Amino acid sequence: MKDAALSQSRFRTCEAMGTRFEVFLHGQDAEHLDAVAVAVIEEFVRLDSVLSRFDPRSEIARVNREASGRAVRVDRELFALLEKCEQARRKTAGYFDVARGASVVLDEKYCTVQFTNADAEIDLGAVGKGYALDCGREILLRYGVSSGLLQGGTSSVWAIGNESWPVDLRHPLSPELIVSRIELNDCALSCSAVRQTGQQQSDVTNPHTGKPLTGDAACVVLAASATEAEFFSTGLLAMGRKRAEHFLTAYADLEITAGWIEADGSVHWFGSR
């Protein structure tokens, strides 16, 4: 996917969660836009310290170290996100799952997390990016910025406001190939691919088999939040196209749209948004 074409925007960027986050804002007051953009960047950096499993000081890294065999208390923010992940796991019949190797036991009363076996760990991956974009959007709305684009890497986007932002969808194995251009407004987008350029084996697994996905497809999801878009782009990709289409027919109330990018570059859209 390609960055949206922009003009007369305020721009900030940072590195967090192993990727590049970007903030593009439109508006009349440049000084105000700059201040809000900085606040959003600071939020991305803060969430990196909470959600990154690669930072041994983060909350999620602490959970991965300590939650095997005993309940570990976590802050309310992380607990609420893990609850949403569990709800998505159940809704997708387990095709979306952030826990590797085990179930996660959540105790709402005590705000604790526990793994069912010693080999388990939580990898929020792209969900962390989506959640960060949602938090960034809340900051924009709180401070009256009604037009903006937030990006986490090249696969996670939040288009805020009624202005249309053109986004190019690119073939995951041939990034020079634009397979579709869409106009985003007041909508979040996530794209999950079986493989990226240079990968011999997928880093996305089928939670039911524990094996890497095969093939060269990708799944794009448009949704009302970036966290939700991440849940379903990963879950639907793991399901496969046929099962994913049946899923969105059965759950039309989700109001999401999915685009299935085939190996030949063709894009097939389905869903209800």
Side-chain angles (χ1 to χ4, degrees):
M1 191 168 57
K2 177 185 176 182
D3 295 346
L6 302 169
S7 61
Q8 304 299 321
S9 298
R10 311 309 290 184
F11 170 72
R12 295 280 177 170
T13 183
C14 72
E15 297 293 324
M17 303 182 196
T19 195
R20 178 183 172 92
F21 280 84
E22 297 176 324
V23 179
F24 303 90
L25 303 181
H26 277 174
Q28 305 260 327
D29 187 336
E31 185 175 350
H32 178 64
L33 291 178
D34 278 334
V36 175
V38 169
V40 173
I41 289 295
E42 289 175 345
E43 179 71 348
F44 293 159
V45 173
R46 180 190 74 82
L47 288 170
D48 181 57
S49 71
V50 176
L51 304 179
S52 174
R53 68 186 179 95
F54 302 108
D55 183 349
R57 300 165 296 178
S58 74
E59 269 286 275
I60 205 68
R62 182 177 68 85
V63 170
N64 284 338
R65 285 194 305 271
E66 301 177 4
S68 296
R70 72 182 185 91
V72 174
R73 190 160 191 155
V74 300
D75 64 41
R76 286 287 174 185
E77 179 178 37
L78 178 56
F79 188 86
L81 179 56
L82 292 177
E83 278 193 315
K84 290 180 180 178
C85 290
E86 174 60 15
Q87 291 164 6
R89 185 191 68 80
R90 292 177 180 175
K91 183 160 285 186
T92 61
Y95 281 99
F96 169 83
D97 194 349
V98 295
R100 293 182 176 180
S103 298
V104 177
V105 180
L106 302 174
D107 188 321
E108 184 177 7
K109 181 178 179 180
Y110 297 104
C111 205
T112 60
V113 181
Q114 184 173 354
F115 299 149
T116 58
N117 68 48
D119 297 326
E121 70 171 4
I122 293 172
D123 182 2
L124 291 171
V127 172
K129 291 194 302 178
Y131 177 72
L133 294 185
D134 286 338
C135 291
R137 174 179 178 267
E138 289 302 314
I139 291 173
L140 298 191
L141 298 181
R142 187 186 314 151
Y143 290 103
V145 177
S146 59
S147 179
L149 190 83
L150 307 179
Q151 289 196 184
T154 58
S155 60
S156 305
V157 180
W158 230 127
I160 292 95
N162 294 322
E163 180 180 358
S164 291
W165 302 79
V167 175
D168 289 344
L169 301 181
R170 294 177 176 269
H171 195 290
L173 298 180
S174 302
E176 72 283 357
L177 175 62
I178 298 173
V179 298
S180 181
R181 171 168 285 184
I182 59 177
E183 300 286 332
L184 285 186
N185 63 79
D186 195 28
C187 180
L189 176 151
S190 168
C191 183
S192 295
V194 172
R195 293 189 300 129
Q196 305 290 342
T197 304
Q199 279 187 321
Q200 297 301 311
Q201 178 176 284
S202 178
D203 57 9
V204 183
T205 61
N206 181 336
H208 292 286
T209 65
K211 296 180 179 180
L213 301 186
T214 58
D216 296 320
C219 182
V220 179
V221 165
L222 310 181
S225 79
T227 306
E228 186 177 56
E230 299 293 352
F231 290 155
F232 291 109
S233 68
T234 302
L236 296 179
L237 184 70
M239 289 180 192
R241 179 180 165 187
K242 185 177 293 187
R243 186 177 281 110
E245 290 189 48
H246 287 316
F247 175 85
L248 288 187
T249 299
Y251 287 96
D253 59 311
L254 289 174
E255 297 186 351
I256 66 174
T257 294
W260 198 268
I261 304 175
E262 299 285 8
D264 63 3
S266 58
V267 184
H268 305 273
W269 294 95
F270 49 92
S272 59
R273 185 176 170 83

